[in-house]
Amino acid sequence: MPNKPAYPGRDQLDAANMRFRRALARLHREGVRHDPDLLPELERIVREAAETLGRLAADAEAAENTSQRHQAALKAQEDKIRAKLRPAARCGDPRAMQLLRRLDERAARSGRPADDDH
C-alpha cells in the first residue's frame, strides 16, 4: 500500500500530540502516586483539550463539507431521496411531505434552489 502524502503540519501535530499525551501520563502518574492535589488540574487540562479539539474537528469537518465533490455527492443523494418520496407525497403521505419540506429547507440554507415539483 503506497504511503499517502501527509497534510501540511502533520509532523508538527503528531509531535505536539505525543508530547501532550506523555506529559498527561506523567502528571497522572505523579498525582496518583505522590500528590493527589494534581488530579483536579489534570482533569481541567484534559477537559480543555477535549473541548478545543472538538471545536477544531468541527471546523475541519465544516471546511470539508464545502468541497465541490462533497456537495455534488450530497446533491445526488438528496435527489435520490426526493425521487423516492415524491410518489408518497403525491398520495398525501404526511411523513413524505414533511421530509420533502426539510430537504427544501436544507437546500435553501445551503444556497441551492429548492425542488419545486412536489
Side-chain angles (χ1 to χ4, degrees), residues 21-40:
R21 292 180 63 112
R22 285 180 179 164
L24 290 178
R26 288 191 310 270
L27 182 59
H28 179 256
R29 190 168 36 251
E30 183 67 19
V32 169
R33 290 181 182 169
H34 305 291
D35 190 355
D37 293 339
L38 293 173
L39 295 177

Side-chain angles (χ1 to χ4, degrees), residues 79-100:
D79 289 346
K80 284 181 182 179
I81 292 169
R82 285 178 192 281
K84 296 282 186 188
L85 290 173
R86 277 191 203 106
R90 280 193 295 269
C91 292
D93 182 333
R95 179 75 175 143
M97 290 188 286
Q98 178 186 24
L99 290 171
L100 285 171

